Amino acid sequence: MTTKFRPPSVPLVTVDPYFSVWSAADHLYDDHTRHWTNKIQGMTGLAIIDGAPRRFMGKVITQDASERLEPEALEQIDLTVEPLTTRYTFQGEGIELQVEFTTPLLLDHLDLLSRPVTYVTVQVRSMDGGAHDVKIYFDVTGEWCVHTPDQQVTWEHRLIDGRLNMMSMGTVEQPILQLAGDDTRIDWGYMVLAVPRTERVQTVIHAVTSRESYVRTGQLPSEDDHQKPRPVSDNVPVMAAEIELGSVREEWVSEYLMLAYDDIHAIEYFNQPLDAYWKRNGTTFHDMLLQSADQYEDIMQQCESFNRQLMAESLAAGGEKYRDILALTYRQAIAAHKLVADEAGRVLFFSKENFSNGCIATVDVSYPSIPLFLRYNPELVKGMMRPIYKYATSPDWPFDFAPHDVGTYPKANGQVYGENKLEYQMPIEECGNMLLMAAAVCKYEGDTDFAREHWEPLTAWAGYLLQHGLDPDNQLCTDDFAGHLAHNANLSIKAILGIAAYSYMCDQLGLQEGATYLAAARNMANEWISMADAGDHYKLTFDSANDSWSMKYNLVWDRLLGLNLFPKEVAAQELEYYKHKQNRYGLPLDSRDTYTKADWLVWCASMSATQSQFEAMIAPLWDFMNETSARVPVTDWYDTMSGKQMNFQNRSVVGGFFIQLLMSRSGINS
């Protein structure tokens, strides 16, 4: 075991499901940078130190050419991942270089959150007391704006307002919002590299093969327009900036650039194109870029302050390993969404089921993710729910229970899951999820207006759970990869707590019928205890053998909403039993297999009686992230024996890891 955390993949550019690039290697120079789907979306970084070229990011050579050698790399001596910032430190040739990637995903600042901008800051100082002449070369490839490299791209250079040098690149075809699916990259809109206009900075768009001549000569190639447009696969075009830092001594010298993406339209919402949230008041892309540049210093300070706050809070709530887990997954949880505004200006916050099925606004993906958003801004939970309410109350939804999704990203035109066949739906799951999410918004926002606005479907779903929830028929739940299950004890808990959540909202709204629903939920909880009892724990299904078991992660809402339906001994007994079932990389989901769901593992851990119990339960999850060979943005579904990724990566459900923070903030586990 190493004592320093090694992320399975390191967040670099983390804005939304399309604009999302990571380093899946131990060192930033070991491999090309990659989109979260593992496809290469290259960035290359070089430092020219006293005339000597040294690589710090990506690869210079893209083709397989074993006889050509990459330039020597500076030594990477440190990697620090904070909630909003990834910082690499390199040393060599008498200098130290820091490269920071910052995406200001501040959840209480929605305009800033939705801006499609990641800042890259480079800082250099001399380490040996001498002066060193330093230039930084940085480029991004045309791979960032295509789905497949055979697509043709074109590009342009522009000066904005006389003070911002902007290069942009996009497909010739511009098929806006046409491509929908899971393993997809955006092929419309424009990838942008922007730098403040100063005498120190030069920019050029050139062919990838010209990198090698730059390494040899230290001179930027001329602008490449002779083969424009062309397929990305044909001598990949790159947008490059050279920053002349001059004679560097012991004081840090720094400069920054911005990576941005103009997606034109972001989401198709019931056949209407919607724009990113930052555009809702008529702000243009160029205006947004200028604002991002003007506010650079202030934004960096805000991000640094937030990083410190969250790191300290997570350390206090769950220990060092919990701090590491949250620092790594904060940006992932948010950037697996797209923030847009509907025609009335209301927040819509669309998740994508990454490497699951590509569904958009999936209810049982929103449900595990909400602890993060309840902690910082419940308006975003409302933004997850609004598309479901709109669809569920339309003539297009045929069932009397809640939908699973509203389409395939980025087309939110109606549910696609299970071809809308009844036997492939998740009736108890989604009704319970929507009721629990609605009650959570009431509690953490301190306001009932959102529940009142959607009272009709909430009432219908509570009625459905009353009728069908205690002993669920053979059906899917959110863990649908495990197949259909009848008499699912954990799903029954969700139904019972969903009914109680409706009662909670009734009380908040001053409606007398709340007492009836609460009494029903209490009776059901008592029945559940006898039906699921297996002596020293509770069973997987009501009709299974006593040696069956499952994570009872849905129980967590009994505490979070202060419902107190189940005796505290139920959770305590389950957690004690789980100790004996934990494998090298954590607790399995249930007795049927050795794989787990990481979000549910942390939910169960958050019901621990002591922080040391919590830390013991999540330590194997930290070990998994630190040791797994699956070098992808954190997967939530993996095998607890081998550490093998089952599927799923870069999903928003890691927002569920923040549940211990929510517990601590609410004073529940204090």
Side-chain angles (χ1 to χ4, degrees):
M1 274 299 304
T2 58
T3 53
K4 195 161 171 60
F5 188 46
R6 183 229 63 178
S9 192
V10 181
L12 304 177
V13 177
T14 49
V15 174
D16 61 42
Y18 287 132
F19 196 30
S20 178
V21 173
W22 301 65
S23 172
D26 289 349
H27 306 98
L28 188 55
Y29 44 72
D30 285 346
D31 187 19
H32 298 287
T33 57
R34 295 177 180 271
H35 188 257
W36 68 261
T37 56
N38 299 331
K39 298 295 189 297
I40 294 174
Q41 292 195 340
M43 278 190 288
T44 294
L46 298 164
I48 313 297
I49 308 155
D50 300 325
R54 295 291 179 262
R55 193 163 44 93
F56 64 84
M57 177 172 64
K59 299 286 187 182
V60 167
I61 301 161
T62 57
Q63 287 81 16
D64 179 24
S66 54
E67 73 278 4
R68 289 146 61 195
L69 294 174
E70 288 284 345
E72 188 180 329
L74 288 171
E75 182 187 2
Q76 180 182 310
I77 63 158
D78 189 56
L79 164 62
T80 301
V81 178
E82 296 174 341
L84 299 173
T85 307
T86 295
R87 183 181 306 105
Y88 287 92
T89 306
F90 307 90
Q91 289 180 352
E93 306 298 324
I95 65 109
E96 181 167 277
L97 165 67
Q98 284 195 348
V99 182
E100 286 187 358
F101 295 85
T102 302
T103 311
L105 302 180
L106 295 162
L107 290 170
D108 58 352
H109 192 329
L110 296 186
D111 278 298
L112 190 55
L113 173 73
S114 74
R115 280 184 195 169
V117 174
T118 290
Y119 298 95
V120 184
T121 304
V122 292
Q123 299 184 88
V124 180
R125 67 183 178 107
S126 170
M127 293 179 61
D128 59 8
H132 296 279
D133 186 71
V134 180
K135 290 193 296 189
I136 299 294
Y137 169 93
F138 183 101
D139 76 29
V140 294
T141 71
E143 294 156 327
W144 291 54
C145 58
V146 295
H147 172 57
T148 54
D150 57 348
Q151 291 181 285
Q152 288 206 336
V153 293
T154 187
W155 52 87
E156 70 169 12
H157 228 125
R158 186 177 292 189
L159 189 63
I160 307 175
D161 198 34
R163 56 199 175 98
L164 199 61
N165 219 325
M166 180 184 116
M167 296 172 284
S168 65
M169 193 172 290
T171 57
V172 173
E173 190 183 4
Q174 288 297 308
I176 299 171
L177 293 171
Q178 288 182 28
L179 183 67
D182 191 1
D183 187 1
T184 56
R185 272 75 44 208
I186 195 168
D187 61 356
W188 69 88
Y190 297 91
M191 176 62 198
V192 168
L193 173 57
V195 284
R197 187 189 188 194
T198 69
E199 291 180 358
R200 287 164 41 156
V201 179
Q202 293 184 67
T203 55
V204 65
I205 301 172
H206 66 87
V208 74
T209 49
S210 301
R211 281 183 192 149
E212 291 177 78
S213 67
Y214 180 79
V215 168
R216 286 195 306 273
T217 67
Q219 300 297 311
L220 278 179
S222 56
E223 192 84 9
D224 180 3
D225 271 329
H226 68 283
Q227 279 182 290
K228 176 184 177 184
R230 68 169 182 261
V232 164
S233 55
D234 181 9
N235 203 358
V236 185
V238 302
M239 299 180 285
E242 181 191 66
I243 302 169
E244 178 71 67
L245 296 177
S247 182
V248 173
R249 296 185 178 271
E250 291 178 10
E251 293 293 312
W252 287 106
V253 180
S254 74
E255 193 59 79
Y256 77 94
L257 49 84
M258 296 184 294
L259 300 174
Y261 206 102
D262 182 2
D263 63 8
I264 305 173
H265 297 311
I267 296 290
E268 186 172 290
Y269 189 50
F270 296 103
N271 302 304
Q272 295 296 314
L274 295 183
D275 294 341
Y277 185 82
W278 63 267
K279 291 186 182 182
R280 75 197 182 289
N281 295 323
T283 303
T284 68
F285 186 78
H286 289 179
D287 289 341
M288 182 275 301
L289 272 186
L290 289 168
Q291 289 168 14
S292 298
D294 292 344
Q295 297 164 6
Y296 169 76
E297 296 288 349
D298 178 55
I299 288 169
M300 288 298 118
Q301 287 176 6
Q302 288 184 61
C303 290
E304 187 181 342
S305 174
F306 180 79
N307 285 337
R308 282 199 307 267
Q309 174 205 330
L310 178 50
M311 301 278 274
E313 213 175 302
S314 53
L315 178 65
E320 290 184 3
K321 291 186 174 180
Y322 188 56
R323 177 200 61 199
D324 291 347
I325 289 169
L326 295 198
L328 175 60
T329 54
Y330 178 88
R331 275 173 282 170
Q332 174 176 323
I334 300 166
H337 293 86
K338 187 69 177 180
L339 180 63
V340 303
D342 69 11
E343 291 172 345
R346 288 174 301 209
V347 167
L348 301 176
F349 197 44
F350 288 101
S351 63
K352 180 181 180 186
E353 276 202 65
N354 292 333
F355 271 27
S356 174
N357 60 14
C359 279
I360 188 169
T362 302
V363 176
D364 58 286
V365 166
S366 295
Y367 170 73
S369 79
I370 63 171
L372 169 61
F373 305 104
L374 292 172
R375 166 66 183 87
Y376 291 107
N377 192 347
E379 183 63 35
L380 292 165
V381 182
K382 290 152 71 172
M384 297 175 194
M385 299 175 75
R386 286 188 177 110
I388 300 296
Y389 285 132
K390 181 179 175 73
Y391 179 54
T393 54
S394 77
D396 295 329
W397 178 242
F399 302 115
D400 55 352
F401 47 79
H404 168 274
D405 64 81
V406 293
T408 301
Y409 196 93
K411 293 178 181 285
N413 296 329
Q415 177 170 302
V416 295
Y417 185 79
E419 301 174 341
N420 289 352
K421 293 177 181 173
L422 179 60
E423 63 267 31
Y424 296 124
Q425 301 309 306
M426 301 183 185
I428 304 295
E429 176 71 41
E430 310 304 15
C431 288
N433 290 339
M434 289 297 286
L435 286 158
L436 288 163
M437 289 163 68
V441 166
C442 283
K443 173 169 180 172
Y444 289 95
E445 193 176 48
D447 192 285
T448 56
D449 286 352
F450 190 62
R452 182 182 285 111
E453 185 184 345
H454 302 288
W455 197 241
E456 188 176 338
L458 290 171
T459 301
W461 297 333
Y464 186 92
L465 294 182
L466 265 180
Q467 189 174 352
H468 303 285
L470 175 60
D471 189 2
D473 290 339
N474 191 38
Q475 62 189 268
L476 294 171
C477 71
T478 182
D479 308 313
D480 54 352
F481 47 82
H484 285 68
L485 199 61
H487 319 295
N488 183 336
N490 185 51
L491 189 58
S492 175
I493 293 172
K494 179 168 286 179
I496 296 164
L497 293 176
I499 293 163
Y502 181 77
S503 161
Y504 172 89
M505 290 184 283
C506 286
D507 290 348
Q508 298 296 307
L509 288 163
L511 301 174
Q512 292 182 348
E513 55 264 38
T516 305
Y517 283 87
L518 183 59
R522 285 200 190 287
N523 288 336
M524 292 166 78
N526 289 332
E527 284 190 70
W528 184 94
I529 289 168
S530 61
M531 290 163 67
D533 184 30
D536 60 350
H537 70 283
Y538 295 90
K539 294 187 280 191
L540 168 66
T541 64
F542 298 134
D543 62 342
S544 58
N546 280 354
D547 60 353
S548 75
W549 59 275
S550 63
M551 287 190 194
K552 305 302 188 298
Y553 53 81
N554 288 316
L555 260 180
V556 79
W557 291 103
D558 205 24
R559 291 193 188 188
L560 282 171
L561 294 175
L563 301 171
N564 301 313
L565 292 185
F566 292 86
K568 287 184 178 177
E569 294 76 33
V570 173
Q573 195 174 44
E574 282 288 289
L575 285 162
E576 181 60 34
Y577 187 79
Y578 296 161
K579 282 185 193 175
H580 309 292
K581 299 297 179 183
Q582 192 161 285
N583 292 326
R584 178 178 177 184
Y585 294 121
L587 178 71
L589 179 66
D590 58 46
S591 50
R592 290 175 292 176
D593 213 317
T594 56
Y595 55 61
T596 194
K597 282 289 269 89
D599 43 355
W600 304 144
L601 187 156
V602 180
W603 281 33
C604 289
S606 76
M607 293 186 280
S608 296
T610 63
Q611 185 171 319
S612 61
Q613 187 183 14
F614 171 82
E615 291 187 34
M617 199 162 171
I618 65 152
L621 173 60
W622 187 96
D623 291 344
F624 163 74
M625 293 180 185
N626 190 53
E627 297 173 10
T628 181
S629 59
R631 304 305 296 269
V632 300
V634 171
T635 177
D636 52 293
W637 182 26
Y638 66 88
D639 186 77
T640 59
M641 305 282 277
S642 65
K644 179 185 173 224
Q645 176 190 12
M646 303 299 295
N647 203 343
F648 305 167
Q649 61 199 49
N650 192 46
R651 298 209 310 163
S652 63
V653 302
V654 297
F657 295 167
F658 288 74
I659 198 160
Q660 177 79 350
L661 214 57
L662 198 62
M663 290 272 198
S664 299
R665 189 78 178 179
S666 307
I668 294 169
N669 279 351
S670 58

